[in-house]
Coordinates of all heavy atoms in Angstrom, one line a residue:
M1 N 73.8 -16.1 -115.0 CA 74.4 -17.0 -116.0 C 74.7 -16.2 -117.2 O 73.9 -15.4 -117.7 CB 73.4 -18.1 -116.3 CG 73.6 -19.3 -115.6 SD 72.5 -20.5 -116.4 CE 71.8 -21.2 -115.0
S2 N 75.8 -16.5 -117.8 CA 76.2 -15.8 -119.0 C 76.1 -16.8 -120.2 O 76.3 -18.0 -120.0 CB 77.6 -15.2 -118.9 OG 78.5 -16.3 -118.9
R3 N 75.7 -16.3 -121.3 CA 75.6 -17.1 -122.5 C 76.7 -16.7 -123.4 O 76.9 -15.5 -123.6 CB 74.2 -17.0 -123.1 CG 73.1 -17.5 -122.3 CD 71.8 -17.5 -123.1 NE 70.7 -18.0 -122.2 CZ 69.5 -18.0 -122.6 NH1 69.2 -17.5 -123.8 NH2 68.6 -18.5 -121.8
R4 N 77.2 -17.7 -124.1 CA 78.2 -17.4 -125.1 C 77.5 -17.0 -126.4 O 76.5 -17.6 -126.8 CB 79.1 -18.6 -125.4 CG 80.0 -18.9 -124.3 CD 80.9 -20.0 -124.7 NE 81.9 -20.3 -123.6 CZ 82.8 -21.1 -123.7 NH1 83.0 -21.9 -124.8 NH2 83.7 -21.3 -122.7
R5 N 78.1 -16.0 -127.0 CA 77.5 -15.6 -128.3 C 78.1 -16.6 -129.4 O 79.2 -17.1 -129.2 CB 77.9 -14.2 -128.6 CG 77.2 -13.3 -127.6 CD 77.4 -11.8 -128.0 NE 78.7 -11.5 -128.5 CZ 79.1 -10.3 -128.9 NH1 78.3 -9.3 -128.8 NH2 80.3 -10.1 -129.3
R6 N 77.4 -16.7 -130.4 CA 77.8 -17.6 -131.5 C 79.2 -17.1 -132.1 O 80.1 -17.9 -132.3 CB 76.8 -17.6 -132.7 CG 76.0 -18.8 -132.6 CD 75.1 -18.8 -133.9 NE 75.5 -20.0 -134.7 CZ 74.7 -21.0 -134.8 NH1 73.6 -21.0 -134.2 NH2 75.0 -22.0 -135.6
G7 N 79.3 -15.9 -132.3 CA 80.6 -15.4 -132.8 C 81.5 -15.0 -131.7 O 81.4 -13.8 -131.3
S8 N 82.2 -15.9 -131.1 CA 83.0 -15.6 -129.9 C 84.2 -14.8 -130.2 O 85.0 -14.5 -129.3 CB 83.3 -16.9 -129.2 OG 84.2 -17.7 -130.0
G9 N 84.5 -14.4 -131.4 CA 85.7 -13.7 -131.7 C 86.9 -14.5 -132.1 O 87.9 -14.0 -132.6
R10 N 86.8 -15.8 -131.9 CA 87.9 -16.6 -132.2 C 87.8 -17.1 -133.6 O 86.7 -17.4 -134.1 CB 87.9 -17.9 -131.3 CG 88.4 -17.6 -129.9 CD 88.8 -19.0 -129.3 NE 88.1 -19.1 -128.0 CZ 88.1 -20.2 -127.3 NH1 88.5 -21.3 -127.8 NH2 87.5 -20.2 -126.1
A11 N 89.0 -17.3 -134.2 CA 89.0 -17.8 -135.6 C 88.8 -19.3 -135.5 O 89.4 -19.9 -134.6 CB 90.3 -17.4 -136.3
P12 N 88.1 -19.9 -136.5 CA 88.0 -21.4 -136.4 C 89.3 -22.0 -136.6 O 90.2 -21.5 -137.3 CB 87.0 -21.7 -137.6 CG 87.1 -20.5 -138.4 CD 87.4 -19.3 -137.6
A13 N 89.5 -23.2 -136.0 CA 90.8 -23.9 -136.1 C 90.9 -24.4 -137.6 O 90.0 -24.9 -138.2 CB 90.8 -25.1 -135.2
Q14 N 92.1 -24.3 -138.1 CA 92.4 -24.8 -139.4 C 92.7 -26.3 -139.4 O 93.6 -26.7 -138.6 CB 93.6 -24.1 -140.0 CG 93.4 -22.6 -140.2 CD 92.4 -22.3 -141.3 OE1 92.2 -23.1 -142.2 NE2 91.6 -21.3 -141.1
S15 N 92.0 -27.1 -140.2 CA 92.2 -28.5 -140.2 C 93.1 -29.0 -141.3 O 93.3 -30.2 -141.5 CB 90.9 -29.2 -140.3 OG 90.3 -28.9 -141.6
G16 N 93.7 -28.1 -142.0 CA 94.6 -28.5 -143.1 C 93.9 -28.6 -144.4 O 94.5 -28.8 -145.4
A17 N 92.6 -28.4 -144.5 CA 91.9 -28.4 -145.7 C 90.9 -27.2 -145.8 O 90.5 -26.7 -144.8 CB 91.1 -29.7 -145.8
S18 N 90.7 -26.7 -147.0 CA 89.8 -25.6 -147.1 C 88.3 -26.1 -147.0 O 88.1 -27.3 -147.1 CB 90.0 -24.9 -148.4 OG 89.7 -25.8 -149.5
R19 N 87.4 -25.2 -147.0 CA 86.0 -25.7 -146.9 C 85.5 -26.4 -148.2 O 84.6 -27.1 -148.2 CB 85.1 -24.5 -146.6 CG 85.3 -24.0 -145.2 CD 84.2 -22.9 -144.9 NE 84.4 -22.5 -143.6 CZ 83.6 -22.8 -142.6 NH1 82.6 -23.6 -142.8 NH2 83.8 -22.4 -141.4
S20 N 86.3 -26.2 -149.3 CA 85.8 -26.8 -150.5 C 86.3 -28.2 -150.6 O 86.0 -28.9 -151.6 CB 86.4 -26.0 -151.7 OG 87.8 -26.1 -151.7
G21 N 87.0 -28.7 -149.7 CA 87.5 -30.1 -149.7 C 88.8 -30.3 -150.3 O 89.4 -31.4 -150.3
E22 N 89.4 -29.2 -150.8 CA 90.8 -29.3 -151.4 C 91.8 -29.2 -150.3 O 91.6 -28.5 -149.3 CB 91.0 -28.2 -152.4 CG 90.0 -28.4 -153.6 CD 90.1 -27.2 -154.5 OE1 91.1 -26.4 -154.4 OE2 89.3 -27.0 -155.4
P23 N 93.0 -29.9 -150.4 CA 94.0 -29.8 -149.4 C 94.5 -28.3 -149.3 O 94.5 -27.6 -150.3 CB 95.1 -30.7 -149.8 CG 94.8 -31.0 -151.3 CD 93.3 -30.8 -151.5
A24 N 94.9 -28.0 -148.1 CA 95.5 -26.6 -147.9 C 96.8 -26.6 -148.6 O 97.4 -27.6 -149.0 CB 95.7 -26.3 -146.4
Q25 N 97.3 -25.4 -148.8 CA 98.6 -25.2 -149.5 C 99.7 -25.9 -148.8 O 99.9 -25.9 -147.6 CB 98.9 -23.7 -149.5 CG 99.4 -23.2 -150.8 CD 99.6 -21.7 -150.8 OE1 99.4 -21.0 -149.8 NE2 99.9 -21.2 -152.0
G26 N 100.5 -26.7 -149.5 CA 101.6 -27.5 -148.9 C 101.1 -28.8 -148.3 O 102.0 -29.6 -147.9
G27 N 99.8 -29.1 -148.2 CA 99.4 -30.3 -147.6 C 99.3 -31.4 -148.7 O 99.3 -31.2 -149.9
S28 N 99.4 -32.6 -148.2 CA 99.3 -33.7 -149.1 C 97.9 -34.3 -149.2 O 97.1 -34.1 -148.3 CB 100.2 -34.9 -148.7 OG 99.9 -35.3 -147.4
E29 N 97.5 -34.9 -150.3 CA 96.2 -35.4 -150.5 C 96.0 -36.7 -149.8 O 96.9 -37.6 -149.9 CB 95.9 -35.5 -152.0 CG 94.5 -35.8 -152.3 CD 94.2 -35.8 -153.8 OE1 94.9 -35.1 -154.5 OE2 93.3 -36.5 -154.2
W30 N 94.9 -36.9 -149.1 CA 94.6 -38.1 -148.4 C 94.1 -39.2 -149.5 O 93.3 -38.9 -150.3 CB 93.5 -37.9 -147.4 CG 93.1 -39.2 -146.7 CD1 93.8 -39.8 -145.7 CD2 91.9 -39.9 -146.9 NE1 93.1 -40.9 -145.3 CE2 92.0 -41.0 -146.0 CE3 90.8 -39.8 -147.7 CZ2 91.0 -41.9 -145.9 CZ3 89.8 -40.7 -147.6 CH2 89.9 -41.8 -146.7
V31 N 94.6 -40.4 -149.4 CA 94.3 -41.4 -150.3 C 93.6 -42.5 -149.5 O 94.3 -43.0 -148.6 CB 95.5 -42.0 -151.1 CG1 95.1 -43.1 -152.0 CG2 96.2 -40.8 -151.8
P32 N 92.4 -43.0 -149.8 CA 91.8 -44.1 -149.0 C 92.6 -45.3 -149.1 O 93.1 -45.7 -150.2 CB 90.4 -44.2 -149.7 CG 90.2 -43.0 -150.5 CD 91.5 -42.5 -150.8
G33 N 92.8 -46.0 -148.0 CA 93.5 -47.3 -148.0 C 95.0 -47.1 -148.0 O 95.8 -48.1 -148.1
A34 N 95.5 -45.9 -147.9 CA 97.0 -45.6 -147.8 C 97.5 -46.1 -146.5 O 96.8 -46.0 -145.5 CB 97.3 -44.2 -148.0
R35 N 98.7 -46.7 -146.5 CA 99.3 -47.2 -145.3 C 100.4 -46.2 -144.8 O 101.0 -45.5 -145.6 CB 100.0 -48.5 -145.7 CG 100.3 -49.4 -144.5 CD 100.9 -50.7 -145.0 NE 99.8 -51.5 -145.5 CZ 99.4 -52.7 -145.0 NH1 100.1 -53.1 -143.9 NH2 98.5 -53.4 -145.5
A36 N 100.5 -46.1 -143.5 CA 101.5 -45.3 -142.9 C 102.9 -45.7 -143.4 O 103.1 -46.9 -143.7 CB 101.5 -45.3 -141.4
P37 N 103.8 -44.8 -143.6 CA 105.1 -45.1 -144.3 C 105.9 -46.2 -143.5 O 106.5 -47.0 -144.1 CB 105.9 -43.8 -144.3 CG 105.1 -42.8 -143.6 CD 103.7 -43.4 -143.3
N38 N 105.9 -46.2 -142.2 CA 106.8 -47.1 -141.5 C 106.0 -48.3 -140.9 O 106.5 -49.0 -140.0 CB 107.5 -46.4 -140.3 CG 108.5 -45.4 -140.9 OD1 109.0 -45.6 -142.0 ND2 108.7 -44.3 -140.2
R39 N 104.7 -48.5 -141.2 CA 103.9 -49.5 -140.6 C 104.1 -50.8 -141.3 O 104.1 -50.9 -142.5 CB 102.4 -49.1 -140.7 CG 101.5 -50.1 -140.1 CD 100.2 -49.5 -139.8 NE 99.5 -50.5 -139.0 CZ 98.2 -50.5 -138.9 NH1 97.5 -49.5 -139.3 NH2 97.6 -51.5 -138.2
Q40 N 104.3 -51.9 -140.5 CA 104.5 -53.2 -141.0 C 103.1 -53.8 -141.3 O 102.1 -53.6 -140.6 CB 105.2 -54.1 -139.9 CG 106.6 -53.6 -139.5 CD 107.6 -53.7 -140.7 OE1 107.5 -54.6 -141.5 NE2 108.4 -52.7 -140.8
P41 N 103.1 -54.7 -142.3 CA 101.8 -55.4 -142.6 C 101.5 -56.4 -141.5 O 102.4 -56.8 -140.8 CB 102.1 -56.1 -143.9 CG 103.6 -56.2 -144.0 CD 104.1 -55.0 -143.2
P42 N 100.2 -56.7 -141.3 CA 99.8 -57.6 -140.2 C 100.4 -59.0 -140.5 O 100.6 -59.4 -141.6 CB 98.3 -57.7 -140.3 CG 97.9 -57.0 -141.6 CD 99.0 -56.2 -142.0
R43 N 100.7 -59.7 -139.4 CA 101.4 -61.0 -139.5 C 100.4 -62.0 -140.1 O 100.8 -62.9 -140.8 CB 101.8 -61.5 -138.1 CG 102.9 -60.6 -137.6 CD 103.4 -61.1 -136.2 NE 104.3 -60.1 -135.7 CZ 104.6 -60.0 -134.5 NH1 104.0 -60.7 -133.6 NH2 105.5 -59.1 -134.1
L44 N 99.1 -61.9 -139.7 CA 98.1 -62.8 -140.2 C 97.1 -62.0 -141.0 O 96.8 -60.9 -140.6 CB 97.4 -63.6 -139.1 CG 98.2 -64.6 -138.3 CD1 97.4 -65.1 -137.1 CD2 98.6 -65.7 -139.2
S45 N 96.5 -62.6 -142.0 CA 95.4 -61.9 -142.7 C 94.2 -61.8 -141.8 O 94.1 -62.5 -140.8 CB 95.1 -62.6 -144.0 OG 94.4 -63.9 -143.7
F46 N 93.2 -61.0 -142.2 CA 92.0 -60.8 -141.5 C 91.3 -62.1 -141.3 O 90.8 -62.4 -140.2 CB 91.1 -59.7 -142.1 CG 89.8 -59.5 -141.4 CD1 89.8 -58.9 -140.2 CD2 88.7 -60.0 -142.0 CE1 88.6 -58.7 -139.5 CE2 87.5 -59.8 -141.3 CZ 87.4 -59.2 -140.1
V47 N 91.2 -62.8 -142.4 CA 90.4 -64.1 -142.4 C 91.1 -65.1 -141.4 O 90.4 -65.8 -140.6 CB 90.3 -64.7 -143.8 CG1 89.7 -66.1 -143.8 CG2 89.5 -63.8 -144.7
A48 N 92.4 -65.1 -141.4 CA 93.1 -66.0 -140.5 C 92.9 -65.6 -139.1 O 92.8 -66.4 -138.2 CB 94.6 -66.0 -140.9
Q49 N 92.9 -64.3 -138.8 CA 92.7 -63.8 -137.4 C 91.3 -64.2 -136.9 O 91.1 -64.6 -135.8 CB 92.9 -62.3 -137.4 CG 94.3 -61.9 -137.5 CD 94.4 -60.3 -137.6 OE1 93.4 -59.6 -137.5 NE2 95.7 -59.9 -137.7
V50 N 90.3 -64.1 -137.8 CA 88.9 -64.5 -137.4 C 88.9 -66.0 -137.2 O 88.3 -66.4 -136.2 CB 87.9 -64.0 -138.5 CG1 86.6 -64.6 -138.3 CG2 87.8 -62.5 -138.6
G51 N 89.6 -66.7 -138.0 CA 89.6 -68.2 -137.8 C 90.2 -68.6 -136.5 O 89.8 -69.5 -135.8
V52 N 91.3 -67.9 -136.1 CA 92.0 -68.2 -134.8 C 91.0 -67.9 -133.7 O 90.9 -68.6 -132.7 CB 93.3 -67.4 -134.7 CG1 93.9 -67.4 -133.3 CG2 94.3 -68.0 -135.7
L53 N 90.4 -66.7 -133.8 CA 89.4 -66.3 -132.7 C 88.3 -67.3 -132.5 O 87.9 -67.7 -131.4 CB 88.9 -64.9 -132.9 CG 90.0 -63.8 -132.8 CD1 89.4 -62.5 -133.2 CD2 90.5 -63.7 -131.4
V54 N 87.7 -67.8 -133.7 CA 86.6 -68.7 -133.6 C 87.1 -70.1 -133.0 O 86.4 -70.7 -132.2 CB 86.0 -68.9 -135.0 CG1 85.0 -70.1 -135.0 CG2 85.3 -67.6 -135.4
A55 N 88.3 -70.5 -133.5 CA 88.9 -71.7 -133.0 C 89.2 -71.6 -131.5 O 88.9 -72.6 -130.7 CB 90.2 -72.0 -133.7
V56 N 89.7 -70.5 -131.0 CA 89.9 -70.4 -129.5 C 88.6 -70.5 -128.8 O 88.5 -71.2 -127.8 CB 90.6 -69.0 -129.2 CG1 90.5 -68.6 -127.8 CG2 92.0 -69.0 -129.7
F57 N 87.5 -69.8 -129.3 CA 86.2 -69.9 -128.6 C 85.7 -71.3 -128.6 O 85.3 -71.8 -127.5 CB 85.2 -69.0 -129.4 CG 83.8 -69.1 -128.8 CD1 83.5 -68.5 -127.6 CD2 82.9 -69.8 -129.5 CE1 82.2 -68.6 -127.1 CE2 81.6 -69.9 -129.1 CZ 81.2 -69.3 -127.9
A58 N 85.8 -72.0 -129.7 CA 85.2 -73.4 -129.8 C 86.0 -74.3 -128.9 O 85.4 -75.1 -128.2 CB 85.2 -73.8 -131.3
V59 N 87.3 -74.3 -129.0 CA 88.1 -75.3 -128.3 C 88.0 -75.0 -126.8 O 87.8 -76.0 -126.0 CB 89.6 -75.2 -128.7 CG1 90.5 -75.9 -127.8 CG2 89.8 -75.7 -130.1
V60 N 88.1 -73.8 -126.3 CA 88.0 -73.5 -124.9 C 86.6 -73.9 -124.4 O 86.4 -74.4 -123.3 CB 88.3 -72.1 -124.6 CG1 88.0 -71.7 -123.1 CG2 89.8 -71.8 -124.9
S61 N 85.5 -73.6 -125.1 CA 84.2 -74.0 -124.7 C 84.0 -75.5 -124.6 O 83.4 -76.0 -123.7 CB 83.1 -73.4 -125.7 OG 83.2 -72.0 -125.7
L62 N 84.6 -76.2 -125.6 CA 84.6 -77.7 -125.5 C 85.3 -78.2 -124.3 O 84.8 -79.1 -123.6 CB 85.1 -78.2 -126.8 CG 85.1 -79.8 -127.0 CD1 83.7 -80.3 -127.0 CD2 85.8 -80.2 -128.2
I63 N 86.5 -77.7 -124.1 CA 87.3 -78.1 -122.9 C 86.5 -77.8 -121.6 O 86.5 -78.7 -120.7 CB 88.7 -77.5 -122.9 CG1 89.5 -78.0 -124.1 CG2 89.4 -77.7 -121.6 CD1 90.8 -77.3 -124.3
A64 N 85.9 -76.7 -121.5 CA 85.2 -76.3 -120.3 C 84.0 -77.3 -120.1 O 83.7 -77.7 -119.0 CB 84.7 -74.9 -120.4
D65 N 83.3 -77.6 -121.2 CA 82.2 -78.5 -121.2 C 82.6 -79.9 -120.7 O 82.0 -80.5 -119.9 CB 81.4 -78.5 -122.5 CG 80.1 -79.2 -122.4 OD1 79.5 -79.1 -121.3 OD2 79.6 -79.7 -123.4
L66 N 83.7 -80.4 -121.3 CA 84.2 -81.7 -121.0 C 84.8 -81.8 -119.6 O 84.8 -82.8 -119.0 CB 85.2 -82.2 -122.0 CG 84.7 -82.4 -123.5 CD1 85.8 -82.7 -124.4 CD2 83.6 -83.5 -123.5
A67 N 85.3 -80.6 -119.1 CA 85.9 -80.6 -117.8 C 84.9 -80.5 -116.7 O 85.2 -80.6 -115.5 CB 86.9 -79.4 -117.7
G68 N 83.6 -80.5 -117.0 CA 82.6 -80.5 -116.0 C 81.9 -79.2 -115.7 O 81.5 -79.0 -114.5
A69 N 81.8 -78.3 -116.7 CA 81.1 -77.1 -116.4 C 79.6 -77.4 -116.0 O 79.1 -78.4 -116.4 CB 81.1 -76.2 -117.6
A70 N 79.0 -76.6 -115.2 CA 77.7 -76.8 -114.6 C 76.7 -77.0 -115.8 O 75.8 -77.8 -115.7 CB 77.3 -75.7 -113.7
N71 N 76.8 -76.2 -116.8 CA 75.9 -76.3 -118.0 C 76.6 -75.7 -119.2 O 77.7 -75.2 -119.1 CB 74.5 -75.7 -117.7 CG 74.6 -74.3 -117.3 OD1 75.5 -73.5 -117.7 ND2 73.7 -73.8 -116.4
V72 N 75.9 -75.8 -120.3 CA 76.5 -75.3 -121.6 C 76.7 -73.7 -121.5 O 77.7 -73.2 -122.0 CB 75.6 -75.7 -122.8 CG1 76.2 -75.1 -124.0 CG2 75.5 -77.2 -122.9
G73 N 75.8 -73.1 -120.8 CA 76.0 -71.6 -120.7 C 77.2 -71.2 -120.0 O 77.9 -70.2 -120.4
V74 N 77.6 -71.9 -118.9 CA 78.9 -71.6 -118.2 C 80.0 -71.9 -119.2 O 81.0 -71.1 -119.2 CB 79.0 -72.5 -116.9 CG1 80.3 -72.3 -116.3 CG2 77.9 -72.1 -116.0
A75 N 80.0 -73.0 -119.9 CA 81.1 -73.4 -120.8 C 81.2 -72.3 -121.9 O 82.3 -71.9 -122.3 CB 80.8 -74.7 -121.5
L76 N 80.1 -71.8 -122.4 CA 80.1 -70.8 -123.4 C 80.6 -69.4 -122.9 O 81.4 -68.7 -123.5 CB 78.8 -70.6 -124.1 CG 78.3 -71.7 -124.9 CD1 76.9 -71.4 -125.5 CD2 79.2 -72.0 -126.1
G77 N 80.3 -69.2 -121.6 CA 80.8 -68.0 -120.9 C 82.3 -68.0 -120.8 O 83.0 -67.0 -121.0
I78 N 82.9 -69.2 -120.5 CA 84.3 -69.3 -120.4 C 84.9 -69.2 -121.8 O 86.0 -68.6 -121.9 CB 84.7 -70.7 -119.7 CG1 84.2 -70.7 -118.3 CG2 86.1 -71.0 -119.8 CD1 84.3 -72.0 -117.6
G79 N 84.2 -69.7 -122.8 CA 84.7 -69.5 -124.2 C 84.7 -68.0 -124.6 O 85.7 -67.6 -125.3
V80 N 83.7 -67.3 -124.1 CA 83.7 -65.8 -124.5 C 84.9 -65.1 -123.8 O 85.5 -64.2 -124.4 CB 82.3 -65.2 -124.0 CG1 82.4 -63.7 -124.1 CG2 81.2 -65.7 -124.9
I81 N 85.2 -65.5 -122.5 CA 86.3 -64.9 -121.9 C 87.6 -65.2 -122.6 O 88.4 -64.3 -122.8 CB 86.3 -65.3 -120.4 CG1 85.1 -64.8 -119.6 CG2 87.7 -64.9 -119.7 CD1 85.0 -65.4 -118.3
A82 N 87.8 -66.4 -123.0 CA 89.0 -66.8 -123.8 C 89.0 -66.0 -125.1 O 90.1 -65.6 -125.5 CB 89.0 -68.3 -124.0
F83 N 87.9 -65.9 -125.8 CA 87.8 -65.1 -127.0 C 88.3 -63.7 -126.8 O 89.1 -63.1 -127.6 CB 86.4 -65.2 -127.5 CG 86.1 -64.4 -128.8 CD1 86.3 -64.9 -130.0 CD2 85.7 -63.0 -128.7 CE1 86.1 -64.2 -131.2 CE2 85.5 -62.3 -129.8 CZ 85.7 -62.9 -131.1
A84 N 87.8 -63.1 -125.7 CA 88.2 -61.7 -125.4 C 89.7 -61.5 -125.2 O 90.3 -60.6 -125.6 CB 87.4 -61.1 -124.2
I85 N 90.2 -62.5 -124.4 CA 91.6 -62.5 -124.1 C 92.4 -62.6 -125.4 O 93.4 -61.9 -125.7 CB 92.0 -63.5 -123.1 CG1 91.4 -63.2 -121.7 CG2 93.5 -63.7 -123.0 CD1 91.5 -64.3 -120.7
A86 N 92.0 -63.6 -126.3 CA 92.7 -63.8 -127.6 C 92.6 -62.5 -128.5 O 93.6 -62.1 -129.1 CB 92.2 -65.0 -128.3
L87 N 91.4 -61.9 -128.4 CA 91.3 -60.6 -129.2 C 92.2 -59.5 -128.8 O 92.8 -58.8 -129.6 CB 89.8 -60.2 -129.2 CG 89.4 -58.9 -129.9 CD1 89.6 -59.2 -131.4 CD2 88.0 -58.5 -129.6
V88 N 92.3 -59.3 -127.5 CA 93.2 -58.3 -126.9 C 94.6 -58.6 -127.3 O 95.4 -57.7 -127.7 CB 93.0 -58.2 -125.4 CG1 94.1 -57.3 -124.8 CG2 91.6 -57.6 -125.1
V89 N 95.0 -59.9 -127.2 CA 96.4 -60.3 -127.6 C 96.6 -59.9 -129.0 O 97.7 -59.4 -129.4 CB 96.6 -61.8 -127.3 CG1 97.9 -62.2 -127.9 CG2 96.7 -62.0 -125.8
M90 N 95.7 -60.3 -129.9 CA 95.9 -60.0 -131.3 C 96.0 -58.5 -131.6 O 96.7 -58.0 -132.5 CB 94.7 -60.6 -132.2 CG 94.9 -62.0 -132.4 SD 93.8 -62.5 -133.7 CE 94.3 -64.2 -133.8
I91 N 95.1 -57.7 -130.9 CA 95.2 -56.2 -131.1 C 96.5 -55.7 -130.7 O 97.1 -54.8 -131.3 CB 94.0 -55.6 -130.4 CG1 92.7 -55.9 -131.1 CG2 94.2 -54.1 -130.3 CD1 91.5 -55.5 -130.4
V92 N 97.0 -56.1 -129.5 CA 98.3 -55.6 -129.0 C 99.4 -56.1 -129.9 O 100.4 -55.3 -130.1 CB 98.4 -56.1 -127.5 CG1 99.8 -55.8 -127.0 CG2 97.4 -55.4 -126.7
K93 N 99.4 -57.3 -130.4 CA 100.5 -57.8 -131.2 C 100.6 -57.0 -132.5 O 101.7 -56.9 -133.1 CB 100.4 -59.3 -131.4 CG 100.6 -60.1 -130.2 CD 102.0 -60.2 -129.8 CE 102.2 -61.1 -128.7 NZ 103.6 -61.3 -128.3
N94 N 99.5 -56.7 -133.1 CA 99.5 -56.0 -134.4 C 99.4 -54.5 -134.1 O 99.7 -53.7 -134.6 CB 98.3 -56.4 -135.3 CG 98.4 -57.8 -135.8 OD1 99.5 -58.3 -135.9 ND2 97.3 -58.5 -136.0

């Protein structure tokens, strides 16, 4: 078995910033909360998205319970599945 030495002779990859945290020459400074230039804003706010997901879970669970689910656990399980589907749809749409 061979062991790699710490100094393998390769230069470390440049990430665009120096070790001091300053941007490399010609690089732009990262700003927290900055949006990509061509990115559209979300169609619904975060609070509205959460509200839609909670409503989907509650309505589907209620429908499953009223439709004759064996017990409340089964109805809630169906609600969780509907919640997951709605979440995937929201992620893909935005």
Side-chain angles (χ1 to χ4, degrees):
M1 262 191 229
S2 66
R3 293 187 181 175
R4 288 187 179 182
R5 295 189 318 180
R6 260 189 117 106
S8 63
R10 284 197 228 168
Q14 296 294 328
S15 64
S18 66
R19 289 190 180 252
S20 65
E22 297 174 12
Q25 226 175 2
S28 61
E29 188 173 333
W30 178 75
V31 178
R35 199 175 283 245
N38 295 328
R39 184 161 183 195
Q40 299 293 326
R43 294 179 186 158
L44 293 173
S45 69
F46 177 74
V47 175
Q49 290 176 357
V50 170
V52 167
L53 291 173
V54 169
V56 165
F57 174 76
V59 169
V60 171
S61 296
L62 181 64
I63 291 172
D65 193 28
L66 294 175
N71 56 32
V72 177
V74 172
L76 293 177
I78 294 170
V80 168
I81 292 170
F83 177 89
I85 291 170
L87 180 64
V88 169
V89 168
M90 282 196 174
I91 290 172
V92 170
K93 292 283 184 179
N94 288 332

